Amino acid sequence: AQTVTQSQPEMSVQEAETVTLSCTYDTSENNYYLFWYKQPPSRQMILVIRQEAYKQQNATENRFSVNFQKAAKSFSLKISDSQLGDTAMYFCALPGGAQKLVFGQGTRLTINP
Amino acid sequence: NAGVTQTPKFQVLKTGQSMTLQCAQDMNHEYMSWYRQDPGMGLRLIHYSVGAGITDQGEVPNGYNVSRSTTEDFPLRLLSAAPSQTSVYFCASSYSGFGNTIYFGEGSWLTVV
């Protein structure tokens, strides 16, 4: 069974700083996707970035990038030039089958002015 | 483009009452699912469907019932509400196939007293 672990329950940084959120996972699949979702106070689940496991290149979306280490089963999210609007819960997720996303426990990120 | 629409957004129920959370998507997605999110946790899968007429159980199905008579709609029924079902419920949908992005509704806050 797939598992996802986020070991940082809370993080706090100053605006404009860079922050990295950690995620480790376990799966027996060789080919899979990984996702980072953002959940602001509104509770909406917003896809931030996705990574295909068979691609060597780390995914990037504007200020968001990942460090994907397949052998170590590590999938961290880096937020550059952090903004107040980045304040949210962040969830790492791994598909466990059709519509079966397995989520980590989440990291509460606060960006301070 | 409405995406995934859930109703109601807020509901208070008494123990033992039944109710239905509605979910509709206008993206012609084959896959639909229901998750619940408890405080401080990630989302957990309740039930899912890979197409009209086909449903299956997720991680936490007890106390819930679903049906999928059309591609667009996937209602979640609480048969006899219990305080343990107090949670935020999310409906989600995606195209079939490996690695497609799962889109979430805005959530339904349910309190059982």
Side-chain angles (χ1 to χ4, degrees), chain A residues 9-26:
Chain A
E10 295 189 28
M11 297 188 73
S12 178
V13 299
Q14 297 299 120
E15 195 175 6
E17 289 184 346
T18 294
V19 60
T20 299
L21 310 182
S22 301
C23 172
T24 58
Y25 62 93
D26 192 24

Side-chain angles (χ1 to χ4, degrees), chain A residues 19-60:
Chain A
V19 60
T20 299
L21 310 182
S22 301
C23 172
T24 58
Y25 62 93
D26 192 24
T27 180
S28 58
E29 302 291 330
N30 189 47
N31 196 14
Y32 49 90
Y33 281 76
L34 290 157
F35 301 91
W36 278 98
Y37 279 88
K38 169 185 177 181
Q39 188 178 44
S42 66
R43 289 277 189 159
Q44 177 77 38
M45 294 291 288
I46 302 166
L47 179 67
V48 175
I49 198 165
R50 54 185 272 165
Q51 173 76 43
E52 301 172 51
Y54 62 87
K55 286 192 174 179
Q56 300 279 355
Q57 189 173 4
N58 289 324
T60 299

Side-chain angles (χ1 to χ4, degrees), chain B residues 60-79:
Chain B
V60 287
N62 292 339
Y64 306 95
N65 200 4
V66 292
S67 60
R68 183 101 179 267
S69 56
T70 67
T71 298
E72 295 78 18
D73 300 299
F74 190 47
L76 177 72
R77 297 181 186 85
L78 279 71
L79 308 173

Side-chain angles (χ1 to χ4, degrees), chain B:
Chain B
N1 189 352
V4 181
T5 303
Q6 294 180 228
T7 56
K9 286 190 169 46
F10 301 94
Q11 183 73 49
V12 178
L13 281 180
K14 293 183 178 179
T15 298
Q17 286 184 320
S18 63
M19 77 157 297
T20 299
L21 297 175
Q22 302 290 344
C23 176
Q25 52 90 11
D26 61 357
M27 297 174 280
N28 203 31
H29 286 167
E30 297 92 344
Y31 290 178
M32 296 187 74
S33 55
W34 279 100
Y35 291 81
R36 61 177 286 174
Q37 184 180 27
D38 299 313
M41 296 180 66
L43 281 66
R44 292 183 294 167
L45 183 66
I46 304 172
H47 285 285
Y48 67 99
S49 169
V50 299
I54 306 170
T55 64
D56 206 347
Q57 296 180 350
E59 182 184 357
V60 287
N62 292 339
Y64 306 95
N65 200 4
V66 292
S67 60
R68 183 101 179 267
S69 56
T70 67
T71 298
E72 295 78 18
D73 300 299
F74 190 47
L76 177 72
R77 297 181 186 85
L78 279 71
L79 308 173
S80 177
S84 61
Q85 294 178 302
T86 294
S87 190
V88 182
Y89 291 85
F90 289 91
C91 181
S93 72
S94 75
Y95 288 114
S96 62
F98 179 68
N100 282 308
T101 298
I102 296 177
Y103 296 90
F104 288 86
E106 293 183 348
S108 297
W109 297 66
L110 176 66
T111 301
V112 182
V113 297

